Amino acid sequence: MSKKPLILVTNDDGINAPGIRTLIGIMNSIGDVVVVAPDSPQSGMGHAITVDATLYVNKVQVDDGPQKEYRCSGTPADCVKLAIRELLDRKPDICVSGINHGSNSSINVIYSGTMSAAVEAGIEGIPSIGFSLLDYSWDANFEASKSFVKRITEEVLENKPDTGIILNVNIPNLPKDDIKGIKVCRQGKGNWVEEFDKRTNPMGKDYYWLSGKFVDLDNGDDTDTNALENGYISVVPVQFDLTAYKTLETIKTWNFK
Amino acid sequence: MSKKPLILVTNDDGINAPGIRTLIGIMNSIGDVVVVAPDSPQSGMGHAITVDATLYVNKVQVDDGPQKEYRCSGTPADCVKLAIRELLDRKPDICVSGINHGSNSSINVIYSGTMSAAVEAGIEGIPSIGFSLLDYSWDANFEASKSFVKRITEEVLENKPDTGIILNVNIPNLPKDDIKGIKVCRQGKGNWVEEFDKRTNPMGKDYYWLSGKFVDLDNGDDTDTNALENGYISVVPVQFDLTAYKTLETIKTWNFK
């Protein structure tokens, strides 16, 4: 039996995206790689799962390499569930998701399919990391990311974060020499100010396209947004207990009787 | 101008679901109601948003009452974004989502379209509540929920939780007299143990249905799961900063250099 770590690789941009192809290449240098990824882009899917439709899985080989690959008709979270329950013969040592084409820093984490896959693995007690590069384009350049992604993955394999902790890693879109290092930070406060672009279709019916811009609402110097702006890679430890503990006691004093 | 509160109502089971029709009826007795809800069921959608497709909105009147109603082709989070940016002429005083047909307690909160809508309103600084009844059936009986939903909504309107706090309210499926009261609690630890039901389609191709059972992994008496099991309505204050603050300092000691 191989002593190399078993690495589950997934993403939300789809199995053919340059980001996941880069990630697979890096992971092949660390361990035994099994890829289970969506067959088409799933961006903005949040933590969706397929509860009312069938899931198809196909064994494929997208490019050369020792990795085993499956493409799946479901969401990123579906991919992780299927991998663990059906496709892998043992629990993976780590799950890596990405590299996403575009930021998942600040509030973006809650809309992120990349992070939902990583969180799903975290729920299963598997150390996991979501990687994102701050370039939304399909032909984003992942060269500068490679050594950092490898280093962070090896560090997680060695240190094993507490159960249920997932790392949200965002990488600035800079040449390697301009990346200043890696910063562990908190999720910055921010929000999207949407502008719905209202149009009329050829049948005379109105419809909308969602667009908008991100607004940073946090001037702390310990946030992911701040780290990225200053040329650092941000690492935010994330958890899935959403309880607002600070508010619990206040709300207990309300009069619900 | 009306002094009554402006109430935004949405859900993830779709605008025709008995749960939202009940919720609209209750809210009509509290304030001015605008409904913006998906045109079809969106369960399991997590915090999905529509980034790569068009959104349609239709003004409708599903049943009698003073409420204004819009059905939308998007996800629950889309509905809230559209309501705030395009459909409402002022910021709502509260957003209520549900009443969901089925539990959103424990880990279910992260897969929940009902809660994603409420969280989306929370991100916009609007006090908001997601309501769920522990009965997955379409013809669930919401009678016993009514007075509790009204009371909790009025309490939130009066007390205004801290900005960014959303209440996750789950209601046991019991006759009114058997409901023991309302408990403010934390999110219980739990997980779904999936069983993928593997079948073969008429063309000979394998596919899967996701099924499984919920496993309670928490023996605390301060959890939502525990409250519900003991006949109480659970109220968990939820927030969208996912940072695992307890782990931040530990991970800062790792050697990322």
Side-chain angles (χ1 to χ4, degrees), chain B residues 62-218:
Chain B
V62 176
D63 55 20
D64 288 344
Q67 72 278 357
K68 272 190 196 166
E69 302 196 46
Y70 301 88
R71 64 180 165 79
C72 169
S73 62
T75 66
D78 290 331
C79 290
V80 171
K81 283 179 185 289
L82 261 169
I84 293 168
R85 303 282 181 232
E86 292 287 327
L87 304 172
L88 299 175
D89 47 21
R90 64 180 176 96
K91 192 170 166 174
D93 297 289
I94 193 167
C95 171
V96 292
S97 178
I99 302 172
N100 190 59
H101 295 236
S103 173
N104 281 314
S105 64
S106 184
I107 194 68
N108 298 300
V109 66
I110 72 162
Y111 305 107
S112 167
T114 304
M115 284 305 296
S116 84
V119 167
E120 191 61 44
I123 293 170
E124 293 292 330
I126 299 162
S128 71
I129 317 172
F131 291 104
S132 306
L133 176 67
L134 271 62
D135 183 347
Y136 288 90
S137 62
W138 189 258
D139 56 357
N141 185 344
F142 292 96
E143 270 311 304
S145 305
K146 287 182 176 174
S147 62
F148 294 104
V149 167
K150 185 170 184 184
R151 194 187 298 173
I152 292 168
T153 304
E154 288 174 336
E155 200 64 25
V156 168
L157 279 166
E158 193 178 313
N159 286 293
K160 300 237 189 313
D162 296 339
T163 304
I165 298 299
I166 303 101
L167 298 192
N168 181 18
V169 176
N170 282 273
I171 303 166
N173 189 23
L174 294 171
K176 190 176 171 186
D177 289 348
D178 293 349
I179 296 179
K180 293 208 185 108
I182 295 168
K183 264 200 181 169
V184 178
C185 17
R186 65 175 171 86
Q187 176 184 322
K189 294 183 183 71
N191 192 6
W192 283 87
V193 177
E194 283 87 14
E195 290 149 18
F196 282 93
D197 185 356
K198 191 173 180 177
R199 302 185 183 189
T200 307
N201 77 8
M203 285 70 76
K205 186 157 169 45
D206 290 337
Y207 64 97
Y208 298 89
W209 285 106
L210 176 59
S211 68
K213 60 170 190 289
F214 176 75
V215 182
D216 186 359
L217 300 171
D218 200 322

Side-chain angles (χ1 to χ4, degrees), chain A residues 183-211:
Chain A
K183 262 200 183 170
V184 179
C185 14
R186 66 173 171 87
Q187 176 185 324
K189 293 182 184 70
N191 192 7
W192 283 87
V193 178
E194 282 88 13
E195 289 150 20
F196 282 94
D197 185 355
K198 191 174 180 175
R199 302 185 182 190
T200 306
N201 77 11
M203 284 71 74
K205 187 157 169 44
D206 290 339
Y207 65 95
Y208 298 89
W209 284 105
L210 176 60
S211 68

Side-chain angles (χ1 to χ4, degrees), chain A residues 35 99 108 116 121-122 163 212 220 254:
Chain A
V35 182
I99 302 171
N108 298 301
S116 84
T163 304
W254 291 9

